[in-house]
Amino acid sequence: MASTRLWLRCLATSAPVPSTLSIKNAIICRTFTNTAVVAVGRKRPAAPVARVPGLDNPGVLHNLAEIHPLLDHYPRLGDQDGNLNLVTAKNWPSNPPLDEMLKGQAEDDVDESSLPHGLTKDDLRKFIRRALVIKRTSNMTTAGKIPTMYALVVAGNGRGIAGYGEAKDEEPARAVRKATNRAMRNLTVFDRYDDRTIYHDIDHKFHATKIQFRSRPPGFGNRCNHYIHEICSCIGILDISAKVWGSRNPMNVIKATFEAFTQKQKLPDDIARARGKRVVDVQHTYYGASE
């Protein structure tokens, strides 16, 4: 084996082979300039060495630890004369960002003109995003079942602005991104009393879901359904209690919550205008304001 290794080392480095070496376990089947085939040990059939353009001697083994100008790059056509420009392939990080992976694949991109007054795209980066519902759906057709992914996302800044969006796609990641973009386009401004709770108790019914919302004093916290808890966190409601009766379908609960907060709340200005009183009197009577 020692003599065989010495002979192979001389062959790889193009050094002259001593005549005293005994080559018992090596067989040269063809000329080395065309295709070199070396079988060591059990006389196995060797695979031909492919020619690489640009190498002076195709028989010289290339060191894989070194960077070769042709083997380690992707040649692409450059100028009109036919010269090759060696362009190194782009190296992605171990975890590529989701925005780059799904770039140009999402629908309903956010436009600043569709946002509430005063908000920009830079403000959207600080928004709280919650994917509350992600499930698999299927559409039954004559060709069979067509599976898709459904996503419902709630987004808000925690200071009175929030919205929800729904989307479907073949991939769950794209469905979540579509739903997030639609939630950003459907942002709504919610009125909060003292920037922490709702103005009054609300009873609301949405299809088969019935929810009772109760305003609570400071420090009470959010004691309610987990879907309502996430929505209140996105809106910025800190003190509230809620009870759900009937259907607890997550989509019905989420839509009922948004509908109740936007349509069922009566502000002090509306009550004062309906009763013919001043806003200060209404705040003193209903909310215990000193002034």
Side-chain angles (χ1 to χ4, degrees):
M1 290 300 295
S3 60
T4 304
R5 292 178 181 175
L6 180 58
W7 180 84
L8 290 176
R9 189 179 298 110
C10 295
L11 184 64
T13 57
S14 300
V17 181
S19 59
T20 57
L21 285 179
S22 60
I23 309 173
K24 298 181 181 180
N25 299 328
I27 299 176
I28 302 178
C29 299
R30 298 182 182 178
T31 58
F32 194 75
T33 56
N34 196 2
T35 52
V37 182
V38 179
V40 180
R42 301 179 182 178
K43 300 182 180 180
R44 297 176 180 175
V49 178
R51 286 180 174 272
V52 179
L55 294 180
D56 297 333
N57 187 1
V60 178
L61 300 179
H62 174 60
N63 187 7
L64 298 180
E66 300 177 357
I67 298 178
H68 194 274
L70 290 179
L71 300 179
D72 298 333
H73 294 77
Y74 292 96
R76 298 179 182 177
L77 292 177
D79 49 2
Q80 298 179 356
D81 298 334
N83 298 327
L84 294 179
N85 293 335
L86 301 180
V87 181
T88 306
K90 183 178 180 181
N91 296 325
W92 284 95
S94 57
N95 296 322
L98 184 61
D99 293 340
E100 293 292 336
M101 295 174 60
L102 304 179
K103 195 172 184 180
Q105 299 183 9
E107 298 177 356
D108 299 336
D109 290 336
V110 181
D111 187 9
E112 291 189 2
S113 61
S114 62
L115 299 178
H117 179 69
L119 286 182
T120 61
K121 287 187 177 181
D122 295 335
D123 298 332
L124 299 182
R125 300 177 182 176
K126 304 177 183 178
F127 269 47
I128 305 172
R129 300 174 178 86
R130 295 288 185 269
L132 300 184
V133 182
I134 299 177
K135 63 179 182 178
R136 181 180 180 274
T137 61
S138 59
N139 183 22
M140 191 63 187
T141 62
T142 56
K145 293 183 178 179
I146 301 178
T148 54
M149 297 301 297
Y150 169 87
L152 192 151
V153 177
V154 176
N157 63 348
R159 296 190 300 271
I161 297 177
Y164 74 93
E166 301 173 278
K168 286 184 179 182
D169 200 278
E170 296 178 357
E171 297 294 334
R174 288 203 295 264
V176 171
R177 175 162 178 172
K178 288 181 182 179
T180 304
N181 291 338
R182 293 176 184 178
M184 296 299 183
R185 293 167 60 92
N186 298 330
L187 293 177
T188 307
V189 179
F190 294 89
D191 297 306
R192 300 173 296 160
Y193 173 70
D194 200 14
D195 292 339
R196 61 173 184 81
T197 186
I198 56 180
Y199 276 87
H200 54 83
D201 299 343
I202 301 175
D203 294 340
H204 185 62
K205 186 175 183 299
F206 181 83
H207 295 292
T209 301
K210 183 179 179 181
I211 308 179
Q212 291 183 353
F213 301 94
R214 299 289 180 261
S215 60
R216 293 306 182 199
F220 185 83
N222 292 343
R223 306 181 188 179
C224 49
N225 183 282
H226 57 284
Y227 294 110
I228 302 176
H229 185 281
E230 296 293 343
I231 295 173
C232 293
S233 299
C234 295
I235 296 176
I237 297 177
L238 307 178
D239 304 308
I240 193 175
S241 64
K243 179 65 177 178
V244 181
W245 280 279
S247 173
R248 289 179 174 81
N249 184 284
M251 294 180 288
N252 284 356
V253 173
I254 295 170
K255 294 177 182 180
T257 303
F258 275 93
E259 191 174 286
F261 288 165
T262 54
Q263 299 181 9
K264 295 293 184 178
Q265 278 201 99
K266 293 183 179 180
L267 305 181
D269 299 341
D270 301 334
I271 298 176
R273 189 180 303 107
R275 295 178 179 268
K277 297 181 177 293
R278 296 182 303 174
V279 178
V280 177
D281 298 336
V282 173
Q283 291 180 347
H284 178 73
T285 303
Y286 285 90
Y287 310 109
S290 57
E291 296 181 358

